[in-house]
Amino acid sequence: MEKKTEVMASPNVARAVLKLAGPAIISLVVLAIYNMADTYFVSLASETDLEVAAVSVYMPILLVTMAVSVLFASGGGALLSRQLGEGDLKGAGETASSTVVLAFISGLIVCACIPWAQPLLLAVGASSDTIDMAWQYAVIMFAASPVQLTNMAFNNLLRAEGNAVRSMTGMVTGALLNIALDPVLISAAGMGVMGAAVATAASQVVSFVILGSAYWRGRTVVPIRLRGFHFQRDTVAYILRVGLSTFLIQIFTGIGFAVVNIYAKPYGDGTIAAIGIVNRLQYLGFAVVFGFAQGYQPVCGFNFGAGRYDLLRRTLYFGFAAAVAIGAALTGFFRLTGRWLIEQFASQAAVIETGVETLGWFTVAYPLTAFTLIIMMTCQSLGQAAEAILVACGRQGFCMIPLLMILSQTLGFQGILISPLLSDIASGLISLYLAVRIFHVLRRRQTA
């Protein structure tokens, strides 16, 4: 165990965070790219951009599905890193087993929603011209949910015990397979939108085998015991309590995307296609920030569990500063490359112009987005579930969705564009207040 977790115990906290964050960023960026690959290869085979709109309307549902997976994966990973810092291997084993079983069961529940796929798609922005294609895509994605959600659990648990390379390998291999299969199934096999979904489902199965084999072959610090398994009430309650904040931020992000689609629907399928492209590009930027946060969280949780408050304070300072710097770099990146990126997914001039304008507004406040996310991860690591939930609900729930509904009615499409910026400012102020409180709490613990 000491050898496996030595990276999290390192006194060089910046090196420890970056060593774990590097593979996490790579795996999540590749995951975002292969989610965009569906849109890209569908756009190449499309002459009207209707197929792009059909794939795009699934994005809010995808985010809600992912929210269910991170409810368990994020809470389980945060608890696991703390237990390893405390030296509690028995408790860590219970946490890992509970996390995987909960993720798989939730995937089965998502899969059971197939009969309601069509009304769900219509509710989040599908039109009469796109509903049939969107349904073909959604049904296969729903069917793959048990594997997809379990992959997220494996991924977070491996990273929480310091095995970030194995986590990255499983995610990247599946992503590359998806990218390779997309053009074959979409164009060569003539499957269109359905081919994109089949490629994604197949890649998820491959990732499942790679990630799961680490546990089946006994290559992990914490084993997963399914024989004689039963839920420990306290363990499940903690996982749910801590993971709830990540779940809510994903849920509200998905709902936010759906609300954007609903209020943009009167502007036509071209606008829906443009916003769908922007949402996937946003997800790419979010993957970089979230990947850094996932490397930061185990180090933060391990040092807190071990009671090493000096190292914890240094971890916090580094994490906050690095997150804001990454957010600023992403804003600059999208500002410089926005038009070129949109042009890779759209052919019609109106779609491109709408996409460029939307991308600029939606990514201008990435430094605040990154700071808010790292504060939420910190609260999770310290077991401050209520504060983490406040941050999670702040940006999308309390701020963006109400602003979007009000401003879209008063300012039209411009109101949709400026809503994310205003919500980032409001949630950034909430996060700053919580950051001050966190350092105050740590000072009291250190002097106690």
Side-chain angles (χ1 to χ4, degrees):
M1 172 182 163
E2 288 180 2
K3 183 172 179 59
K4 292 272 188 177
T5 60
E6 63 183 357
V7 62
M8 294 186 293
S10 170
N12 188 339
V13 294
R15 179 177 177 275
V17 170
L18 293 175
K19 189 169 183 178
L20 292 178
I25 291 172
I26 292 171
S27 61
L28 287 176
V29 166
V30 173
L31 180 65
I33 289 172
Y34 97 69
N35 279 328
M36 289 193 299
D38 288 351
T39 306
Y40 175 71
F41 287 109
V42 164
S43 72
L44 293 181
S46 171
E47 295 181 358
T48 64
D49 287 328
L50 285 177
E51 289 85 352
V52 175
V55 174
S56 297
V57 296
Y58 183 74
M59 188 67 177
I61 299 175
L62 173 64
L63 288 174
V64 172
T65 303
M66 296 297 288
V68 176
S69 68
V70 300
L71 171 63
F72 308 115
S74 179
L79 178 56
L80 185 69
S81 62
R82 282 189 61 183
Q83 289 170 325
L84 291 176
E86 295 165 354
D88 181 10
L89 279 178
K90 183 177 182 296
E94 293 172 353
T95 297
S97 301
S98 298
T99 301
V100 170
V101 173
L102 287 168
F104 184 76
I105 292 173
S106 62
L108 292 176
I109 294 172
V110 173
C111 185
C113 293
I114 288 176
W116 296 277
Q118 191 169 85
L120 282 172
L121 292 165
L122 289 169
V124 297
S127 68
S128 58
D129 294 324
T130 61
I131 185 60
D132 289 340
M133 292 181 290
W135 181 84
Q136 293 173 11
Y137 186 83
V139 165
I140 295 171
M141 296 295 287
F142 277 141
S145 293
V147 171
Q148 182 184 32
L149 271 62
T150 307
N151 281 346
M152 184 65 74
F154 283 149
N155 195 33
N156 278 44
L157 293 172
L158 287 169
R159 192 166 45 247
E161 65 174 48
N163 200 348
V165 174
R166 168 72 70 169
S167 169
M168 178 188 71
T169 301
M171 301 301 288
V172 170
T173 303
L176 293 176
L177 175 64
N178 184 58
I179 293 169
L181 286 177
D182 262 341
V184 175
L185 297 179
I186 293 170
S187 299
M191 296 176 67
V193 169
M194 184 182 291
V198 171
T200 300
S203 69
Q204 290 287 347
V205 172
V206 171
S207 293
F208 178 85
V209 172
I210 294 173
L211 296 170
S213 66
Y215 290 97
W216 304 330
R217 297 163 61 194
R219 300 292 181 85
T220 60
V221 175
V222 180
I224 292 175
R225 307 289 189 194
L226 299 182
R227 182 177 298 176
F229 168 79
H230 61 280
F231 288 117
Q232 297 291 330
R233 182 176 178 179
D234 291 344
T235 299
V236 173
Y238 189 96
I239 290 172
L240 293 175
R241 189 169 68 250
V242 174
L244 184 60
S245 54
T246 310
F247 168 79
L248 288 173
I249 202 169
Q250 285 278 105
I251 281 286
F252 282 124
T253 300
I255 293 173
F257 284 175
V259 173
V260 169
N261 283 346
I262 290 167
Y263 284 97
K265 191 174 180 178
Y267 299 95
D269 287 325
T271 299
I272 294 293
I275 289 175
I277 293 167
V278 169
N279 285 341
R280 289 182 183 267
L281 291 172
Q282 268 192 289
Y283 194 73
L284 175 62
F286 184 76
V288 176
V289 175
F290 198 62
F292 174 78
Q294 287 187 335
Y296 158 88
Q297 188 181 50
V299 179
C300 184
F302 187 92
N303 285 324
F304 180 69
R308 306 192 309 174
Y309 296 118
D310 285 339
L311 290 180
L312 178 57
R313 287 168 64 87
R314 283 158 52 187
T315 303
L316 299 183
Y317 282 127
F318 174 73
F320 296 171
V324 172
I326 291 170
L330 286 168
T331 295
F333 170 77
F334 284 119
R335 180 69 61 181
L336 292 173
T337 64
R339 179 169 295 276
W340 178 84
L341 289 169
I342 298 294
E343 287 175 346
Q344 306 313 302
F345 298 92
S347 56
Q348 296 183 341
V351 175
I352 292 171
E353 293 305 320
T354 300
V356 172
E357 184 181 14
T358 303
L359 182 64
W361 279 105
F362 279 20
T363 60
V364 69
Y366 259 17
L368 289 173
T369 303
F371 180 67
T372 299
L373 180 61
I374 209 74
I375 290 295
M376 187 193 75
M377 289 292 203
T378 302
C379 292
Q380 285 184 344
S381 299
L382 304 185
Q384 297 178 353
E387 290 83 351
I389 291 170
L390 174 62
V391 175
C393 295
R395 182 179 186 270
Q396 297 284 355
F398 301 148
C399 302
M400 182 172 168
I401 293 175
L403 283 170
L404 191 60
M405 297 173 71
I406 295 169
L407 296 179
S408 64
Q409 297 298 306
T410 57
L411 300 178
F413 191 65
Q414 190 66 31
I416 296 175
L417 295 179
I418 66 175
S419 296
L421 171 61
L422 297 178
S423 63
D424 274 321
I425 293 172
S427 59
L429 293 173
I430 295 172
S431 298
L432 182 61
Y433 167 73
L434 290 177
V436 173
R437 279 193 56 190
I438 286 169
F439 282 111
H440 180 67
V441 169
L442 290 181
R443 278 196 297 270
R444 284 192 308 177
R445 280 178 173 265
Q446 223 169 346
T447 57

